[in-house]
Amino acid sequence: MKTAYELAMERLSKQAPSVTMTPQKKKQLAELDSKYTAKIAEREIALKGEIDDALHVGDVEKAGKLQEHLVNERKALQAELEEKKNAVRAAKTR
């Protein structure tokens, strides 16, 4: 006798069958992850330096704005990464 979980998983696999990833797609996804991790780290280093400088001179308002800018850039880069990864996943393999 099957559990409710097993039955639900069977129904789910019928509605949206799992997609197998080719080694080429896996490599592309890994390259995208690496590239965007580097971009995010680069921006964090640059902006954290500016934040530290602003705090050092006592400009808390500027530091807060820079921190907010850093968060927004990180979110934008993450969104861009997800879009590109989805495009790779959706691409037809030959």
Side-chain angles (χ1 to χ4, degrees), residues 3 5 9-11 15 23 26 30-31 36-38 41 44 46-49 53 62 64 67 74 76 79 81 87 93:
T3 64
Y5 174 77
M9 291 305 292
E10 281 181 10
R11 276 186 253 131
Q15 291 174 357
K26 287 180 183 179
E31 288 172 356
Y36 277 85
T37 299
E44 284 180 350
L47 288 173
K48 283 187 179 181
D53 291 344
K62 182 178 179 182
Q67 184 68 33
R74 188 182 302 137
L81 170 61
T93 53

Side-chain angles (χ1 to χ4, degrees), residues 39-89:
K39 280 185 177 186
I40 291 169
E42 180 182 316
R43 291 308 301 151
E44 284 180 350
I45 290 170
L47 288 173
K48 283 187 179 181
E50 290 181 38
I51 292 168
D52 289 342
D53 291 344
L55 289 174
H56 184 69
V57 298
D59 194 350
V60 178
E61 185 177 328
K62 182 178 179 182
K65 287 180 182 179
L66 288 169
Q67 184 68 33
E68 191 175 312
H69 182 67
L70 173 60
V71 169
N72 290 336
E73 280 198 37
R74 188 182 302 137
K75 285 180 183 178
L77 287 170
Q78 288 286 0
E80 187 177 320
L81 170 61
E82 286 305 314
E83 285 179 26
K84 289 187 178 189
K85 287 170 83 173
N86 287 335
V88 169
R89 290 180 187 121

Side-chain angles (χ1 to χ4, degrees), residues 1-19:
M1 186 149 216
K2 293 184 180 181
T3 64
Y5 174 77
E6 291 171 327
L7 292 171
M9 291 305 292
E10 281 181 10
R11 276 186 253 131
L12 180 63
S13 68
K14 288 178 185 175
Q15 291 174 357
S18 63
V19 177

